[in-house]
Amino acid sequence: MNADKGPEAEDIAAELVGLLHRSAPADELALRLARAEALALSDPRREGLVEVVRMAMAVRNRLDLQEQRERGMLAVMESAKDLSSRLGLTGLPHAIATRARNLLGSHLAWLTTLEPRTGDYRVFVSDGVISENTTKMTARRNTGVASMVMSTRLPFATADYLNDNRFPHDPDLDDTFRREGIVALVGVPLVSEDQMIGMLFVADRYLRTHTALNIAILGTLATHAAVAISNAKAFEAANVALAKSEASRLELEHHARNVQSAAEAHEQLTSLLATGASLGTLCQVIAQLLGGSVLVIDEVAQVISRAGAPDYPGHAAETYAPHGPHSAAIAQAISKSRQGGRSVVACTIDGEICRVIAVIGGNDVLGAVLLFRQDDIDEIAVRTFERSSSVIGIMLLSQERIEASKHRDVASLLRSLVSPRHDEPALAQDRAARFGLDLTQPLSLIIIEMDQPKASFVARRLRVGSPLSDLVFDELDGVLVIVCGTTSAHDVVQQFASLAAREFGDSFRGVQSRPIKQLAEVSSLYASLRRALAVLQRIGVRGEIVGQDQMALYSVLFETHDKTSLNTFLEGCIGALIAHDQRRGAELTSTLLSYFDNNQNAKTTAQELGIHVNTVRQRLANVEELLGHWGSATRALEIHVALRLWSLTTKDAGAAPLIR
């Protein structure tokens, strides 16, 4: 510095260099400028000193601008590094909005993405917003700052958005900006591979003019953000493709394992069939393979085998009944299965799915297999289930052939008993022994006539899973014939009556013979029982098996009579008595029958009926008033026969007496 400027000027100049060196604040430079201007007023020669201070301040401003640029570039570089490290879309859009807001020191920022269907840009993420409506904004192609950015693909800034007329306004968007308090706004495009994938907006709630540096920094951030988003999408697509590939591989492995398991299951079932395993064992294996409960039913829906997996918690199979609430749905499913050759879901019982497959033997349905599970099985398991029905069908056919052979032998035995030839008694003894029947012990012959179903069907039903399956029985000449030991005859009658009542109602009638001690008696007894059956049918007996001794007289007297003639006989003999009981609710008819059955002893009759002997005598007097004198042997016999016949037509004295 020149000497004429004085030592004070030199001090100021040296001070300026020191201030610039230590990056002193602008306020300190302003103080020096004020001192220099004061010196220049007192000494015009010191005007150059003012110019020196001003140059120092300009250098200070350039240094600040350069520092600001360096900070901005460092911030952009840091943001680019952060964004490029995010390979997933989760959190990336929000990180971009937050970075943009922080870089420009603004109040809020948001990121929009393209809606392919409408071509508009909808807010995806935001940072710093107050109103919920701001997060739901849609930037349209022809309104707002977005229209300027979309048309030029360049940044666009406005210091006062609501009063800026350089672009058309959207009233809804303006209202949202008012509620949010937005004044200044700058928007930049996000472009990737020549595709505008979104826009980045930064806003302030006061008038603000963004510098070119700020806009450039925001644009640089947007460029990095577009690349990061594209990379994240590509990475996500690659991950999705990799996941799909892995899923396909796992599915293929699962399918291969299932196919292998199905092949092993089929081999196991075939092996069981070849080794002669029982139907129960086969069902148990199927239940374990499929993880449920299994029922095998015959053609009339009766269960012939059942099994369940050890850890299966369901109970629907245990509640199955042939004529239960779901029987119609199961029958329909079996019909569909037979037609289509595949298994069918029949119904849902207590939360368990019932899948059904018909068991076919030749052209006939042998039955069906029912699988109960809490959820349905996959296609491979369905195939295993359907293969199991084929194995069960083979087993049932084999059992049917064995049963047919046994049936032929039983039928032959029964024929030899009821229609013996001279050489058959010895053979019958051997045949009967094979079926557990000892012909040297007293026997009972039971014949049963069925209205519906036929006796042949009932015989098949008794052979499968009934308590009578081990007896000697078969259908002969349209009736069911049973031969058993006399000691077990009562139990046989009770068991048959119970089963028939449960499954067939009262559509049967039968006669049980007296004990047979000689085989030669069987033939004549069979004929006698057939005659008795005809009489039972004529007098309308249903749902009962009557002892032969009860029917002997009536079989002879009435085997050629029809219902009309039998009704005429009853009406003529005891009609007045029965009519009186029906009108008065009395018990004269049953009292008279008991009186005859007790050898016309009033005291014994009173004991049997549990009434006083005088009551018996009074009732008998009333009977005589109604029927007239019946003391002669002939009249008494006729009335007694009519009363016994009446007793066969009703189960209690209050029922209608005439033949139905």
PDB file of all heavy atoms in Angstrom, residues 646-658:
ATOM      1  N   TRP A 646    -107.787-113.506  16.506  1.00  0.00           N
ATOM      2  CA  TRP A 646    -107.805-112.070  16.790  1.00  0.00           C
ATOM      3  C   TRP A 646    -106.508-111.622  17.466  1.00  0.00           C
ATOM      4  O   TRP A 646    -105.965-110.558  17.181  1.00  0.00           O
ATOM      5  CB  TRP A 646    -109.011-111.782  17.695  1.00  0.00           C
ATOM      6  CG  TRP A 646    -108.975-110.424  18.334  1.00  0.00           C
ATOM      7  CD1 TRP A 646    -109.344-109.248  17.787  1.00  0.00           C
ATOM      8  CD2 TRP A 646    -108.529-110.119  19.659  1.00  0.00           C
ATOM      9  NE1 TRP A 646    -109.173-108.217  18.666  1.00  0.00           N
ATOM     10  CE2 TRP A 646    -108.660-108.739  19.839  1.00  0.00           C
ATOM     11  CE3 TRP A 646    -108.029-110.894  20.717  1.00  0.00           C
ATOM     12  CZ2 TRP A 646    -108.326-108.096  21.015  1.00  0.00           C
ATOM     13  CZ3 TRP A 646    -107.701-110.246  21.886  1.00  0.00           C
ATOM     14  CH2 TRP A 646    -107.840-108.868  22.040  1.00  0.00           C
ATOM     15  N   SER A 647    -105.984-112.476  18.363  1.00  0.00           N
ATOM     16  CA  SER A 647    -104.768-112.109  19.095  1.00  0.00           C
ATOM     17  C   SER A 647    -103.567-111.993  18.172  1.00  0.00           C
ATOM     18  O   SER A 647    -102.606-111.293  18.483  1.00  0.00           O
ATOM     19  CB  SER A 647    -104.483-113.125  20.203  1.00  0.00           C
ATOM     20  OG  SER A 647    -104.041-114.360  19.648  1.00  0.00           O
ATOM     21  N   LEU A 648    -103.594-112.717  17.042  1.00  0.00           N
ATOM     22  CA  LEU A 648    -102.484-112.626  16.095  1.00  0.00           C
ATOM     23  C   LEU A 648    -102.536-111.347  15.274  1.00  0.00           C
ATOM     24  O   LEU A 648    -101.531-110.935  14.688  1.00  0.00           O
ATOM     25  CB  LEU A 648    -102.494-113.831  15.146  1.00  0.00           C
ATOM     26  CG  LEU A 648    -102.155-115.189  15.773  1.00  0.00           C
ATOM     27  CD1 LEU A 648    -102.362-116.301  14.758  1.00  0.00           C
ATOM     28  CD2 LEU A 648    -100.725-115.193  16.280  1.00  0.00           C
ATOM     29  N   THR A 649    -103.713-110.732  15.203  1.00  0.00           N
ATOM     30  CA  THR A 649    -103.856-109.542  14.353  1.00  0.00           C
ATOM     31  C   THR A 649    -103.619-108.244  15.092  1.00  0.00           C
ATOM     32  O   THR A 649    -103.643-107.179  14.503  1.00  0.00           O
ATOM     33  CB  THR A 649    -105.255-109.501  13.717  1.00  0.00           C
ATOM     34  OG1 THR A 649    -106.226-109.332  14.752  1.00  0.00           O
ATOM     35  CG2 THR A 649    -105.528-110.775  12.953  1.00  0.00           C
ATOM     36  N   THR A 650    -103.436-108.324  16.398  1.00  0.00           N
ATOM     37  CA  THR A 650    -103.221-107.104  17.172  1.00  0.00           C
ATOM     38  C   THR A 650    -102.259-107.395  18.305  1.00  0.00           C
ATOM     39  O   THR A 650    -102.191-108.512  18.806  1.00  0.00           O
ATOM     40  CB  THR A 650    -104.558-106.573  17.724  1.00  0.00           C
ATOM     41  OG1 THR A 650    -104.296-105.382  18.455  1.00  0.00           O
ATOM     42  CG2 THR A 650    -105.233-107.591  18.626  1.00  0.00           C
ATOM     43  N   LYS A 651    -101.552-106.387  18.720  1.00  0.00           N
ATOM     44  CA  LYS A 651    -100.578-106.568  19.800  1.00  0.00           C
ATOM     45  C   LYS A 651    -101.148-106.142  21.137  1.00  0.00           C
ATOM     46  O   LYS A 651    -100.540-106.352  22.162  1.00  0.00           O
ATOM     47  CB  LYS A 651     -99.307-105.768  19.500  1.00  0.00           C
ATOM     48  CG  LYS A 651     -98.551-106.298  18.299  1.00  0.00           C
ATOM     49  CD  LYS A 651     -97.277-105.521  18.081  1.00  0.00           C
ATOM     50  CE  LYS A 651     -96.508-106.062  16.889  1.00  0.00           C
ATOM     51  NZ  LYS A 651     -95.273-105.327  16.620  1.00  0.00           N
ATOM     52  N   ASP A 652    -102.326-105.487  21.116  1.00  0.00           N
ATOM     53  CA  ASP A 652    -102.948-105.151  22.393  1.00  0.00           C
ATOM     54  C   ASP A 652    -104.463-105.168  22.241  1.00  0.00           C
ATOM     55  O   ASP A 652    -104.990-105.059  21.149  1.00  0.00           O
ATOM     56  CB  ASP A 652    -102.478-103.776  22.893  1.00  0.00           C
ATOM     57  CG  ASP A 652    -102.807-102.682  21.898  1.00  0.00           C
ATOM     58  OD1 ASP A 652    -103.981-102.257  21.868  1.00  0.00           O
ATOM     59  OD2 ASP A 652    -101.900-102.277  21.154  1.00  0.00           O
ATOM     60  N   ALA A 653    -105.192-105.355  23.365  1.00  0.00           N
ATOM     61  CA  ALA A 653    -106.639-105.546  23.325  1.00  0.00           C
ATOM     62  C   ALA A 653    -107.365-104.316  22.836  1.00  0.00           C
ATOM     63  O   ALA A 653    -108.519-104.407  22.446  1.00  0.00           O
ATOM     64  CB  ALA A 653    -107.157-105.930  24.720  1.00  0.00           C
ATOM     65  N   GLY A 654    -106.711-103.151  22.812  1.00  0.00           N
ATOM     66  CA  GLY A 654    -107.393-101.951  22.376  1.00  0.00           C
ATOM     67  C   GLY A 654    -107.294-101.717  20.888  1.00  0.00           C
ATOM     68  O   GLY A 654    -107.888-100.784  20.368  1.00  0.00           O
ATOM     69  N   ALA A 655    -106.524-102.520  20.118  1.00  0.00           N
ATOM     70  CA  ALA A 655    -106.341-102.298  18.690  1.00  0.00           C
ATOM     71  C   ALA A 655    -107.518-102.854  17.912  1.00  0.00           C
ATOM     72  O   ALA A 655    -108.289-103.656  18.395  1.00  0.00           O
ATOM     73  CB  ALA A 655    -105.045-102.951  18.219  1.00  0.00           C
ATOM     74  N   ALA A 656    -107.638-102.439  16.647  1.00  0.00           N
ATOM     75  CA  ALA A 656    -108.726-102.933  15.793  1.00  0.00           C
ATOM     76  C   ALA A 656    -108.583-104.422  15.594  1.00  0.00           C
ATOM     77  O   ALA A 656    -107.501-104.914  15.295  1.00  0.00           O
ATOM     78  CB  ALA A 656    -108.699-102.215  14.449  1.00  0.00           C
ATOM     79  N   PRO A 657    -109.635-105.229  15.732  1.00  0.00           N
ATOM     80  CA  PRO A 657    -109.524-106.674  15.713  1.00  0.00           C
ATOM     81  C   PRO A 657    -109.609-107.285  14.333  1.00  0.00           C
ATOM     82  O   PRO A 657    -109.174-108.402  14.130  1.00  0.00           O
ATOM     83  CB  PRO A 657    -110.708-107.115  16.562  1.00  0.00           C
ATOM     84  CG  PRO A 657    -111.736-106.062  16.300  1.00  0.00           C
ATOM     85  CD  PRO A 657    -110.985-104.787  16.119  1.00  0.00           C
ATOM     86  N   LEU A 658    -110.204-106.588  13.413  1.00  0.00           N
ATOM     87  CA  LEU A 658    -110.420-107.218  12.116  1.00  0.00           C
ATOM     88  C   LEU A 658    -109.147-107.208  11.291  1.00  0.00           C
ATOM     89  O   LEU A 658    -108.245-106.392  11.489  1.00  0.00           O
ATOM     90  CB  LEU A 658    -111.548-106.503  11.371  1.00  0.00           C
ATOM     91  CG  LEU A 658    -112.912-106.567  12.094  1.00  0.00           C
ATOM     92  CD1 LEU A 658    -113.965-105.894  11.246  1.00  0.00           C
ATOM     93  CD2 LEU A 658    -113.299-107.995  12.417  1.00  0.00           C
TER      94      LEU A 658
END
